[in-house]
Amino acid sequence: MTPTATLMLERSAQHFVDGQYLPGNGARVAIIDPATEAEIGSYAEAIEAEMEQAIALANQAQKGWWALSALERADALHRVADRLGELSAQVGECLTREMGKPYREAEWEAGASASAFRYYAELARQEHGRVAGPAIAGQLHMTIKEPLGTVVSIVPYNFPVLLFGWQAAASLAAGNAIIVKPSELTSLTLLLVMQAFDHLPAGLVQCLTGGANVGRHLVAHPHTHAVAFTGSVPAGQAVAQSAALRFKPVLIEASGNDPFIVMPSSPVEIVARGAAFAAFLNCGQVCTSAERFYVHEDVYDRFVSALAAEARKLRIGNGLECVDIGPMASARERARVENIVARAVEQGARIVCGGKRPADREQGWFFEPTVLEVSHAMDIMHGECFGPLAPVCKVRSLDEAIALANDSEFGLGANIYTENLAEAMRAVNEIESGIVWVNTPLNDNDCVPFGGRKMTGQGRELGIEGLEQFRRSKMVMIAPQAIDDPEWFPYPDDEAFPATQQ
């Protein structure tokens, strides 16, 4: 057993509250390694008393955090980034054991999260409001930015370290406290991440594990002040409805169904490699996965053949081995993907490669990277697959590709491969999504906002927009001295309603 595996057992059924790991008092639930189906630990269902304690501590710690100077907060957040770098190997191994992704992908998350902390540490230090031209001569009129209070972060299993890092970095930089409720599948990973915050005021960053009931309590509580949620559409709608009762700001990223357009001007072999990455990264369990391929008829056959060849090359196995693709995160997720494929075949789809469990893997929730030839009308093109599936549809023109790309309830990301500038500009301007990648799929930038449209959700992470998500604006007007104002009482008689004037 590795040191990390031992630590996972030690952290099992604990919460991180008031700057320390404490045993949970609620029911324990087993955590299963999706590659081996072995029990590797457990999480505890947080009970109401534990949640009440954490919320009270968070609100107390937030006041002290906001009382610090912006430079002191920035220095502390840079130290968080340092600690995340130091913990990346340990956290990466834990994440691979909990949800299955290849170690390379899992270890990367802590470093990417650290980058967000460095960005927001400096952004919040230099961006604190603005001074306006005064409406009254001699006065100072300005807008200052203040924290919301205590933020509730509910993060999914697919990128728990990265997504929590984005939210925590912006929240803390803005002056808030934060309580994270991780996915039941990656609870231990977030508990290990809490080590990166051990130098911050106790209670400022806390982790409570559990299921939907824990999330509901934290969201609805009168003393939490904002919510950042990533998950399904129904759960996101429930979060928004609950938060709306108290007018809490919400950041919701619910689902994606991202199109990937391929035009004849693009180099097919390179595009096929990019497409394989966009479709099969993290076994397709990515909100911005390419899930609908619209390929121009002039290159369609070559692309399908090349993409299938790339899919067949991918090594499938335990994420702690030398592999490209790990298992699905749970047996339920694999069964869901199998049902999607079965339905597509029933509707007339042709499986080019994959479409089944690997023959050489008796244990674990593995599923082969799958390329299918489909039509746009099939169900597989109209919901979030969230698995290693690449359904490919032939189109006759860019007009048709854009129209089909927009024929979706979701609008998170979109990809187009073209070396025709006019086509690229049309895609950027006409595709209904929050993100458009031209010849560079699935990349992020701390400085640029991430988020979607339509049923994907609301709000933005990253960029200045991500910081604003966790701040409120206050109007301030300062007169240099107290003097009479001509607007005060009594009003002049000659300004009264004309009929009353003598």
Side-chain angles (χ1 to χ4, degrees), residues 97-417:
R97 292 183 183 278
E98 278 200 294
M99 71 77 57
K101 68 170 58 180
Y103 174 76
R104 181 184 187 275
E105 297 175 16
E107 191 271 342
W108 166 86
E109 285 199 38
S113 179
S115 178
F117 273 95
R118 296 196 191 286
Y119 170 71
Y120 279 118
E122 294 306 314
L123 182 63
R125 189 156 71 95
Q126 62 182 297
E127 210 296 315
H128 193 67
R130 67 182 189 275
V131 175
I136 301 174
Q139 294 189 1
L140 175 63
H141 292 180
M142 59 185 174
T143 301
I144 60 175
K145 301 294 183 176
E146 295 183 331
L148 300 173
T150 294
V151 175
V152 175
S153 170
I154 301 176
V155 294
Y157 65 80
N158 60 332
F159 286 94
V161 184
L162 177 69
L163 294 178
F164 175 64
W166 287 359
Q167 296 166 8
S171 295
L172 293 171
N176 300 286
I178 189 166
I179 300 172
V180 60
K181 203 292 289 183
S183 163
E184 298 93 309
L185 300 181
T186 50
S187 296
L188 297 177
T189 296
L190 263 296
L191 284 169
L192 295 194
V193 168
M194 292 299 105
Q195 299 169 94
F197 304 98
D198 56 12
H199 61 287
L200 298 183
L204 189 67
V205 180
Q206 300 177 98
C207 178
L208 295 171
T209 63
N213 287 336
V214 176
R216 278 192 286 268
H217 187 90
L218 294 173
V219 169
H221 200 282
H223 298 139
T224 62
H225 309 101
V227 181
F229 169 87
T230 306
S232 69
V233 170
Q237 290 171 325
V239 166
Q241 289 169 353
S242 176
L245 296 176
R246 293 187 176 276
F247 300 118
K248 292 181 187 179
V250 291
L251 166 68
I252 294 179
E253 199 275 280
S255 286
N257 183 219
D258 289 11
F260 190 112
I261 297 172
V262 182
M263 297 302 292
S265 64
S266 57
V268 170
E269 285 69 28
I270 292 176
V271 177
R273 286 177 51 76
F277 181 77
F280 304 133
L281 172 69
N282 196 18
C283 208
Q285 298 166 124
V286 185
C287 56
T288 51
S289 281
E291 297 198 346
R292 299 179 289 140
F293 289 83
Y294 299 108
V295 182
H296 194 280
E297 59 187 3
D298 290 354
V299 292
Y300 177 83
D301 291 337
R302 287 174 54 207
F303 175 81
V304 170
S305 177
L307 178 56
E310 294 294 333
R312 293 187 185 102
K313 293 177 189 176
L314 298 175
R315 299 164 295 175
I316 304 171
N318 190 314
L320 297 178
E321 301 168 354
C322 293
V323 300
D324 306 302
I325 302 291
M328 299 291 294
S330 69
R332 183 179 68 180
E333 288 300 297
R334 182 176 65 176
R336 182 184 56 77
V337 167
E338 288 176 326
N339 289 335
I340 291 173
V341 173
R343 176 59 176 160
V345 171
E346 178 184 310
Q347 292 182 311
R350 184 179 80 88
I351 296 177
V352 181
C353 68
K356 61 186 186 302
R357 303 178 185 185
D360 61 344
R361 291 282 170 176
E362 295 183 0
Q363 286 186 311
W365 301 313
F366 296 96
F367 195 79
E368 293 181 347
T370 301
V371 178
L372 309 95
E373 291 188 280
V374 304
S375 70
H376 177 72
M378 294 178 186
D379 293 349
I380 194 171
M381 302 295 273
H382 296 279
E384 186 172 40
C385 294
F386 218 65
L389 308 180
V392 188
C393 175
K394 184 187 296 185
V395 296
R396 296 181 299 274
S397 65
L398 180 61
D399 286 338
E400 182 181 8
I402 291 176
L404 296 182
N406 289 338
D407 183 24
S408 173
E409 290 187 337
F410 305 108
L412 181 51
N415 296 273
I416 182 169
Y417 264 88

